[in-house]
Amino acid sequence: MLDLLERRPAAGAPQLTGLTVGDVIAMLETFDPAAPLMVQGESGGFEEVLGFRTTGVVLNVNSAEGFGPHDLPDDGARAELVAVVVRSAER
């Protein structure tokens, strides 16, 4: 029971279901370090990953088709959390 209590997220903590940086590191360690890293292009094909950057985001603010649910905060608004974003040639 104590183990279950320790794994609960802090009250008010964002509830995200995606991977964390730690998850990605563990996964990438299983691959050839010389293999190129790519992401799927928006309309098909693949793009090379150029790097990563951090940015503040707000959660669950977009509902329009074709947009991810999370976005940059409006000018003067505070971010809910800092996320690591994959940079590619087009983005």
Side-chain angles (χ1 to χ4, degrees):
M1 179 68 166
L2 182 57
D3 188 46
L4 292 175
L5 291 174
E6 291 176 350
R7 290 186 187 173
R8 287 186 185 159
Q15 298 297 308
L16 300 173
T17 58
L19 299 173
T20 65
V21 170
D23 295 332
V24 172
I25 290 169
M27 290 175 178
L28 290 176
E29 286 178 336
T30 67
F31 297 103
D32 176 354
L37 185 60
M38 298 187 180
V39 294
Q40 190 164 8
E42 187 173 331
S43 299
F46 295 93
E47 299 174 20
E48 295 175 51
V49 172
L50 300 178
F52 301 90
R53 64 181 170 87
T54 58
T55 189
V57 298
V58 290
L59 303 176
N60 303 312
V61 294
N62 291 330
S63 59
E65 177 133 358
F67 286 85
H70 317 304
D71 212 333
L72 299 172
D74 291 333
D75 288 340
R78 175 172 274 173
E80 292 180 55
L81 57 84
V82 175
V84 176
V85 178
V86 174
R87 287 190 329 104
S88 66
E90 297 296 318
R91 297 182 187 100

